[in-house]
């Protein structure tokens, strides 16, 4: 049997749904009868009926004081649903137009924006943000904790980064696990430098890109995203110094 939930799922409001169902059950009826059956007051009932008239789902009968309303052929709800899609598409188009302007206002904030993400889903969110990178991603990492914590996501994330052509450079602990990872550096658009584990025993991952610094603490199940031109610039400079230093170490060994 048709119910309110089915109608709201295609774009009816709760009140539109109960009024429309009441009218279908009653047949041609006055506002007072329809409102009583729908469980709403007469004024609201009249307003809802006029909305349904404008959508082509209901028609008024006559213009007398005791005017009645009748439901149109129920097949017209297909046209109603199509109109809802058109409205949603128009809203989406307008949102896309507004987004750059809103973003420019959003970025005018002088203070850094710091966001915290908890749990595995939160950590996935901070990694997904790196897929928006316009620049190379640089940072410090060990892939093993990520594979252990969110294994299915690890194997989803990497192909997405590669498909987007986002390059990466990383300084990582020298472990047997990481040796397996760096063998794929070229095809995974990555450059890696390994540092003795006793000097770089990472329990976190840090990625720096665009104007952002992303950090994940695996032990604490926590992700942090900092958006700041100055902080990102400073972290990139520190990374470049570390990158050069690891190159010197590699040449000496």
């Amino acid at each position: 049997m048709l119910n309110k939930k089915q109608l709201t799922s295609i774009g009816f409001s709760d009140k539109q749904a109960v009024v429309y169902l009441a009218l279908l059950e009653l047949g041609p009826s006055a506002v007072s009868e329809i409102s009583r059956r729908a469980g709403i007051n007469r004024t609201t009932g009249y307003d809802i009926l006029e909305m349904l008239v404008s959508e082509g789902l209901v028609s008024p009968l006559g213009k007398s004081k005791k005017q009645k309303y009748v439901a149109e052929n129920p097949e017209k709800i297909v046209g109603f649903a199509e109109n809802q899609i058109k409205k949603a598409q128009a809203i989406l188009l307008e949102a896309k137009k507004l987004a750059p302007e809103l973003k420019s206002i959003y970025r005018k904030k002088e203070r850094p924006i710091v966001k915290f993400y908890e749990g595995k889903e939160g950590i996935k969110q901070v990694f997904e943000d790196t897929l928006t990178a316009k620049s190379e991603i640089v940072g410090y990492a060990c892939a093993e904790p990520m594979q252990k914590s969110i294994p299915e996501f690890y194997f989803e994330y990497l192909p997405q980064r590669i498909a987007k052509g986002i390059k990466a450079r990383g300084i990582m602990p020298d472990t047997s696990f990481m040796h397996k990872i760096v063998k794929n550096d070229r095809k995974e658009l990555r450059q890696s430098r390994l540092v003795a584990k006793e000097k770089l025993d990472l329990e976190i991952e840090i990625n720096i890109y665009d104007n952002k610094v992303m950090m994940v603490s695996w032990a604490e199940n926590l992700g942090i995203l900092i958006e700041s031109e100055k902080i990102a610039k400073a972290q990139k400079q520190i990374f470049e110094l570390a990158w050069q230093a690891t190159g010197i170490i590699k040449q000496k060994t």
Side-chain angles (χ1 to χ4, degrees):
M1 184 177 176
L2 190 66
N3 58 50
K4 181 180 76 172
K5 190 174 181 180
Q6 289 171 289
L7 291 177
T8 56
S9 71
I10 62 167
F12 280 72
S13 69
D14 285 347
K15 288 180 180 177
Q16 285 175 334
V18 294
V19 167
Y20 184 67
L21 286 172
L23 189 54
L24 285 176
E25 292 167 0
L26 290 169
S29 303
V31 176
S32 56
E33 294 176 85
I34 300 164
S35 301
R36 195 178 305 114
R37 174 65 69 92
I40 58 177
N41 65 57
R42 188 181 182 283
T43 303
T44 302
Y46 176 78
D47 291 339
I48 297 297
L49 283 164
E50 287 301 310
M51 288 181 197
L52 294 173
V53 168
S54 69
E55 294 288 355
L57 297 172
V58 170
S59 293
L61 294 176
K63 294 184 179 180
S64 65
K65 290 183 179 179
K66 293 185 178 180
Q67 185 182 65
K68 293 186 176 183
Y69 290 84
V70 63
E72 290 287 346
N73 189 318
E75 287 184 2
K76 289 205 171 183
I77 66 167
V78 175
F80 171 80
E82 288 172 346
N83 285 335
Q84 298 307 303
I85 292 170
K86 288 177 184 176
K87 288 176 185 177
Q89 288 173 335
I91 291 169
L92 178 60
L93 185 62
E94 192 61 29
K96 286 180 177 179
K97 289 179 183 176
L98 284 172
E101 188 175 344
L102 294 171
K103 201 170 182 180
S104 67
I105 298 169
Y106 178 71
R107 285 180 173 173
K108 285 179 182 177
K109 297 179 181 179
E110 292 181 5
R111 293 174 62 85
I113 299 168
V114 183
K115 298 176 183 176
F116 294 86
Y117 300 82
E118 293 186 302
K120 291 183 179 180
E121 290 305 314
I123 289 172
K124 288 178 185 179
Q125 278 186 266
V126 291
F127 273 104
E128 283 169 352
D129 191 82
T130 66
L131 296 174
T132 67
K134 301 293 186 293
S135 67
E136 172 190 45
I137 300 170
V138 299
Y140 316 87
C142 180
E144 194 167 5
M146 184 179 183
Q147 280 201 22
K148 286 181 178 178
S149 178
I150 43 176
E152 71 295 337
F153 182 74
Y154 176 84
F155 293 105
E156 291 172 9
Y157 169 83
L158 194 57
Q160 289 184 67
R161 180 176 66 75
I162 295 166
K164 289 175 179 285
I166 301 171
K167 296 180 180 179
R169 277 188 294 150
I171 299 172
M172 309 165 186
D174 191 347
T175 65
S176 57
F177 182 87
M178 290 310 301
H179 273 276
K180 295 176 185 176
I181 296 293
V182 300
K183 285 180 181 178
N184 298 317
D185 270 6
R186 180 170 294 183
K187 70 178 182 180
E188 293 178 357
L189 305 182
R190 182 179 55 239
Q191 294 180 60
S192 304
R193 288 189 177 170
L194 302 179
V195 177
K197 192 173 186 298
E198 60 269 20
K199 292 184 178 179
L200 189 69
D201 188 9
L202 288 177
E203 293 185 7
I204 67 169
E205 177 160 342
I206 301 173
N207 288 326
I208 308 151
Y209 56 99
D210 299 342
N211 64 336
K212 298 175 182 177
V213 178
M214 180 274 269
M215 294 179 281
V216 169
S217 173
W218 299 109
E220 295 166 305
N221 224 12
L222 177 69
I224 302 170
L225 189 61
I226 302 171
E227 190 171 348
S228 164
E229 289 283 358
K230 292 180 180 178
I231 293 174
K233 182 180 178 181
Q235 288 298 320
K236 284 176 186 175
Q237 290 174 341
I238 294 167
F239 173 85
E240 292 300 344
L241 289 171
W243 183 261
Q244 291 172 25
T246 54
I248 293 168
I249 292 169
K250 192 173 182 180
Q251 289 170 18
K252 287 182 177 179
T253 55

